Amino acid sequence: MNGIIEINNLHRRYGETVALRGISLRIKKGEMFGFVGPDGAGKTTTIRIMCGLLNPGEGTVRLFDEDILEKRNVIQKRIGYLSQKFSLYGDLTVDENIEFFAEIHNVTDYKRRRDELLEFTRLKPFRKRLAEKLSGGMKQKLALACSLIHKPEILFLDEPTTGVDPVSRRDFWKILADLIKEKITIVMATPYLDEAERCSRVAMFNNGEIITCDTPDNIKKSIGLMSLEIVCKPIKVAYELLSSEINNDIQLFGDRINVLVKSQGETDSILRILNSGNVEVVDRRLTEPSIENVFMNLIKHRKLNG
Amino acid sequence: MLNRIKAIAVKETRQLLRDVRMMGVIFLFPVFLLVVFGYAINFDVQHIQLSVLDRDNSPESREFINSLLSTDYFDLVTYLKSDREIREFLDRKKAQCIAVIPSNFSNEIYRNEVAKIQFLIDGVDGNTATIIMNYVNAAVASYSNNLNYEFLSSRGIKLSSSVSLEPRFWFNPDLNSTRFLIPGLIGMILIIIAVVTISLSIVREKERGTIEQLNVSSIKIPELLTGKAIPYIVIAFINAGIILAAGYLFFGIEVKGSYLWLLISTLFFLAASIGIGILVSVIADSLQVAFLAGTLISLLPSMLLSGFVFPIESMPYVIRIFSNVTPTKFYIVCLRSILLKGAGIEVFWEQLLYMVIFTVIVVVAASKIYNKKQLKELSS
């Protein structure tokens, strides 16, 4: 079966700057698909091209088996888009915003759908409030409600939770989980790697390319490394010692150090180095690497390989 | 389609009603301009400050001075005593003109010789100086006429009626410049309001990023523009009403012609103005630029090139061609015909046609530029 979204060898440049250098993707119906990667990696450009807001440079982009360049208008009726920037009318109320977006999407009988969405996003108590008076999290939920008013089959979210407090972020994810149950396909760009773990599949963007694309679990397994977490003191000394002695990925988190290791043998040698440097190891634990670990590792290897 | 246009119009109205500052600008700005142009800027020359150096001090010289002062045109500042004061009064602008009556004034009259009066006028403002000179010439002519008449009748000669001019000014009998300015003022206010409001409302969508949501929706550009134009056209009509009412209350200007044609020509003019607003919004990417460009493009040409203040007929040929950059030029002709002359469509139908042509050109230009920009944005 074909994917609901098919991207083939997509290139895009902005003048001299190359934004995308050959992206290929196939996203299936009902997926919760995540785009992760640093700013400027090409996530937003890819999403905007899929929404028909930018033309592809080279390559093809097909949604619902139709080419975006040929059937832009038809495709746009079946998708929802939530941009990075807050793009609602701050001087309209919650109700009025939804009403407006319903009408410009040709949804004439929107009253029930609006109530449903307000219920769904828990914005019902605020329906008479001006959008600009809402908190950041509520604004994003309202924007989501507006982009869902015409029952899109694919929802594109460009960093919807950036700048949103953790509680609202969790709320937002609950709503997304409900949407997935309704068989909506979601494509979401996020700078938060913990959010990536909630996706069914993740594409890691770096410098205009996809460096890996798989389920979070497979991605973690793919590098064949484990994460060794060491709680020790003095932590600064330990970090400097390890950085000079071994070549592994090392990250410092407050009172603990994270090292990517291949085997039990490596763990032992690391502990030996720490002991010889008079570092007291309080606790240690071998876990599955986080998406963040993997991402850092992959980028580092790409740099090393040129 | 109607649904979507309605949605945009409703949304725009709601936003406008909540924007207190904008509403203030829209409704206070016309009143401000009206006061400035109606009262402060007055091209009528009256109550000219006159000083007199009367070296003769005879009944004849006083009679001559009284003949000047008996009109509304001249106000006596003071009698001067010496030559030195002449310079001082003109330099310090204590007087706009000074009559110097020589000591042999009455003698010359009795000897039937040409009696001379020196008349000094502050020529800095050439226009006013010319007008003052005309007034004085007329006063002198009538004064010497009277002398002749008396002289002849004292000799028993009865003067048969001489030629006399009886001018009547049509459409503006007392040559009131406010009456002449009001139509242009209506045009200028309407074009500024229409251009600035529509361009700001479109550029605001660009600046806030809401245009993206509109781009991914089913709405089409003409629907968007029509929806946006409706509330501002209504506002412009309200404004026009306010100015007309104020013009009637404060300056006694009535609509002599048909209200229907007034409405129709205003509608044509607003269409052209909104066209300019759309053009501005296509070019400008920020609210500041839109506001500045909108104000300049609408204000300057309608002030200088439309015939509002300076008659187009007396402009150089090149400038006359250039004066077509503003639809106010055409609208003013319609307004003066309808408001002051009470004339019908047969007088100004060409102007309506020009406004239609103007609108088409502007909108086509705007959509060409928009398409070019869009293409660049989509694929550059």
Side-chain angles (χ1 to χ4, degrees):
Chain A
M1 195 197 117
N2 280 342
I4 195 164
I5 301 174
E6 303 242 1
I7 300 180
N8 236 317
N9 198 28
L10 177 63
H11 288 260
R12 186 68 162 79
R13 44 167 68 234
Y14 296 105
E16 292 293 294
T17 331
V18 180
L20 299 178
R21 18 184 133 230
I23 300 269
S24 296
L25 263 183
R26 168 180 291 190
I27 298 172
K28 293 190 292 275
K29 191 172 158 54
E31 270 198 279
M32 165 83 235
F33 199 94
F35 284 5
V36 297
D39 284 347
K43 300 175 307 228
T44 298
T45 305
T46 311
I47 288 185
R48 288 170 60 84
I49 289 174
M50 287 191 283
C51 292
L53 289 168
L54 280 177
N55 280 346
E58 266 172 58
T60 55
V61 175
R62 295 175 72 80
L63 279 77
F64 312 108
D65 258 331
E66 310 265 22
D67 194 283
I68 185 72
L69 275 176
E70 289 161 19
K71 296 281 172 70
R72 191 193 306 265
N73 289 332
V74 184
I75 291 173
Q76 280 179 340
K77 286 193 168 79
R78 298 170 68 183
I79 63 170
Y81 169 59
L82 188 54
S83 66
Q84 217 164 348
K85 221 165 117 187
F86 173 69
S87 51
L88 296 175
Y89 296 97
D91 42 7
L92 295 185
T93 65
V94 170
D95 261 2
E96 288 163 355
N97 264 300
I98 300 181
E99 179 190 320
F100 174 68
F101 283 106
E103 279 173 340
I104 64 167
H105 277 110
N106 296 334
V107 184
T108 40
D109 185 26
Y110 55 84
K111 291 231 163 67
R112 239 193 59 212
R113 176 80 178 147
R114 176 169 70 186
D115 288 348
E116 238 173 63
L117 286 168
L118 286 175
E119 190 74 52
F120 189 52
T121 50
R122 293 166 202 89
L123 282 172
K124 228 173 189 168
F126 310 103
R127 54 194 308 169
K128 294 279 173 255
R129 197 180 280 191
L130 292 184
E132 65 193 358
K133 299 267 161 68
L134 295 173
S135 72
M138 288 200 280
K139 275 181 191 164
Q140 278 318 78
K141 286 197 282 188
L142 174 58
L144 183 66
C146 289
S147 60
L148 287 172
I149 189 80
H150 58 298
K151 300 192 173 166
E153 292 158 68
I154 308 177
L155 185 59
F156 292 99
L157 307 170
D158 194 358
E159 306 199 358
T161 55
T162 305
V164 171
D165 68 275
V167 179
S168 303
R169 252 173 81 190
R170 196 169 312 152
D171 250 23
F172 198 83
W173 271 94
K174 267 187 210 152
I175 297 170
L176 294 187
D178 288 343
L179 288 175
I180 290 293
K181 273 185 215 146
E182 287 176 30
K183 294 285 171 227
I184 292 181
T185 312
I186 298 178
V187 179
M188 175 185 195
T190 175
Y192 300 114
L193 292 160
D194 62 314
E195 287 192 339
E197 313 231 6
R198 298 168 180 254
C199 296
S200 60
R201 278 199 305 151
V202 173
M204 283 189 173
F205 280 70
N206 189 50
N207 204 13
E209 288 172 292
I210 293 180
I211 50 180
T212 183
C213 175
D214 212 329
T215 62
D217 272 345
N218 286 345
I219 288 181
K220 287 183 215 166
K221 282 183 193 130
S222 68
I223 55 170
L225 297 172
M226 293 295 276
S227 169
L228 174 64
E229 195 178 272
I230 312 163
V231 182
C232 57
K233 58 191 173 188
I235 192 90
K236 238 350 205 308
V237 179
Y239 181 71
E240 277 158 19
L241 194 63
L242 289 179
S243 303
S244 60
E245 292 285 328
I246 56 173
N247 230 344
N248 303 33
D249 283 354
I250 308 166
Q251 274 181 291
L252 188 62
F253 295 103
D255 66 337
R256 61 199 63 203
I257 291 175
N258 234 319
V259 189
L260 289 186
V261 292
K262 279 201 194 73
S263 56
Q264 188 61 39
E266 250 188 338
T267 308
D268 293 341
S269 71
I270 284 169
L271 291 175
R272 239 176 287 129
I273 293 167
L274 288 177
N275 271 331
S276 68
N278 285 331
V279 173
E280 182 198 343
V281 176
V282 181
D283 195 9
R284 65 193 163 90
R285 186 154 79 102
L286 209 55
T287 58
E288 201 177 42
S290 68
I291 289 271
E292 189 167 348
N293 292 143
V294 179
F295 188 70
M296 292 311 200
N297 184 266
L298 286 174
I299 288 183
K300 186 176 154 192
H301 279 280
R302 287 181 85 84
K303 274 196 189 130
L304 286 180
N305 300 337
Chain B
M1 188 182 98
L2 282 178
N3 251 327
R4 293 191 294 262
I5 292 177
K6 195 193 113 208
I8 297 275
V10 167
K11 179 215 96 177
E12 208 64 41
T13 311
R14 278 174 176 158
Q15 289 183 301
L16 190 64
L17 290 178
R18 279 173 198 153
D19 193 345
V20 180
R21 245 186 320 171
M22 193 68 178
M23 290 293 274
V25 171
I26 289 175
F27 289 107
L28 291 182
F29 184 62
V31 176
F32 167 74
L33 281 184
L34 200 68
V35 169
V36 168
F37 278 89
Y39 285 112
I41 302 183
N42 196 335
F43 298 112
D44 299 341
V45 181
Q46 272 179 345
H47 301 286
I48 300 156
Q49 306 288 305
L50 169 74
S51 285
V52 179
L53 177 58
D54 188 355
R55 292 209 177 103
D56 194 36
N57 226 337
S58 61
E60 285 74 23
S61 67
R62 279 192 295 274
E63 196 189 328
F64 170 73
I65 292 161
N66 280 335
S67 75
L68 286 182
L69 296 180
S70 60
T71 62
D72 271 349
Y73 299 124
F74 292 97
D75 285 348
L76 181 69
V77 183
T78 182
Y79 282 99
L80 303 181
K81 288 177 197 73
S82 66
D83 280 352
R84 250 188 318 112
E85 281 182 309
I86 294 178
R87 179 162 285 277
E88 188 200 323
F89 266 62
L90 283 182
D91 277 356
R92 303 225 174 139
K93 287 196 162 287
K94 285 185 187 170
Q96 289 169 280
C97 56
I98 294 172
V100 183
I101 302 174
S103 53
N104 56 359
F105 180 70
S106 50
N107 283 339
E108 304 261 350
I109 291 176
Y110 285 124
R111 276 190 269 139
N112 290 330
E113 280 171 26
V114 179
K116 288 183 179 137
I117 296 171
Q118 187 182 30
F119 208 82
L120 302 163
I121 303 172
D122 178 352
V124 172
D125 175 0
N127 201 25
T128 309
T130 314
I131 294 171
I132 293 176
M133 200 181 71
N134 288 337
Y135 288 160
V136 176
N137 263 335
V140 169
S142 110
Y143 180 77
S144 44
N145 252 345
N146 278 343
L147 280 181
N148 285 338
Y149 181 76
E150 276 171 28
F151 176 77
L152 291 173
S153 53
S154 71
R155 261 151 229 224
I157 304 171
K158 209 150 180 239
L159 203 65
S160 58
S161 57
S162 59
V163 179
S164 117
L165 192 65
E166 286 285 322
R168 290 279 182 281
F169 297 104
W170 274 28
F171 312 127
N172 186 1
D174 14 308
L175 296 183
N176 179 339
S177 62
T178 313
R179 193 174 284 268
F180 170 75
L181 288 178
I182 286 275
L185 197 55
I186 296 179
M188 195 174 83
I189 292 171
L190 292 189
I191 195 173
I192 296 175
I193 295 284
V195 169
V196 171
T197 49
I198 194 95
S199 60
L200 284 187
S201 104
I202 297 173
V203 173
R204 193 176 299 123
E205 307 257 4
K206 282 207 253 182
E207 212 178 62
R208 288 196 191 162
T210 42
I211 197 92
E212 300 243 294
Q213 293 298 337
L214 300 179
N215 277 345
V216 291
S217 78
S218 309
I219 200 146
K220 288 174 197 73
I221 303 272
E223 296 169 352
L224 176 69
L225 296 180
T226 317
K228 272 182 177 292
I230 290 171
Y232 295 113
I233 288 182
V234 172
I235 293 248
F237 269 113
I238 296 174
N239 261 322
I242 292 176
I243 306 167
L244 278 180
Y248 176 70
L249 283 177
F250 300 126
F251 309 112
I253 289 158
E254 290 172 62
V255 181
K256 286 204 179 139
S258 117
Y259 279 93
L260 180 67
W261 283 117
L262 183 64
L263 194 87
I264 291 172
S265 54
T266 304
L267 205 58
F268 277 54
F269 176 60
L270 287 177
S273 307
I274 281 169
I276 300 177
I278 291 170
L279 185 63
V280 169
S281 71
V282 168
I283 297 164
D285 286 319
S286 76
L287 287 173
Q288 282 98 322
V289 175
F291 184 77
L292 211 69
T295 315
L296 287 182
I297 289 177
S298 55
L299 181 79
L300 285 185
S302 30
M303 184 111 170
L304 303 174
L305 297 174
S306 66
F308 170 20
V309 178
F310 312 108
I312 295 171
E313 296 77 26
S314 53
M315 290 175 187
Y317 185 67
V318 181
I319 304 285
R320 252 184 290 166
I321 294 176
F322 199 61
S323 72
N324 290 318
V325 296
T326 173
T328 318
K329 176 188 171 185
F330 314 122
Y331 184 54
I332 282 182
V333 177
C334 300
L335 276 186
R336 285 193 178 136
S337 310
I338 298 168
L339 293 184
L340 304 183
K341 302 183 186 170
I345 177 75
E346 66 279 358
V347 177
F348 55 81
W349 63 270
E350 276 177 283
Q351 313 298 327
L352 296 184
L353 191 67
Y354 293 146
M355 286 198 270
V356 172
I357 296 171
F358 186 94
T359 312
V360 171
I361 291 175
V362 175
V363 172
V364 167
S367 68
K368 282 260 150 64
I369 297 173
Y370 175 81
N371 284 339
K372 226 176 203 170
K373 266 190 134 179
Q374 194 69 10
L375 206 70
K376 227 168 109 189
E377 220 161 88
L378 278 172
S379 55
S380 88

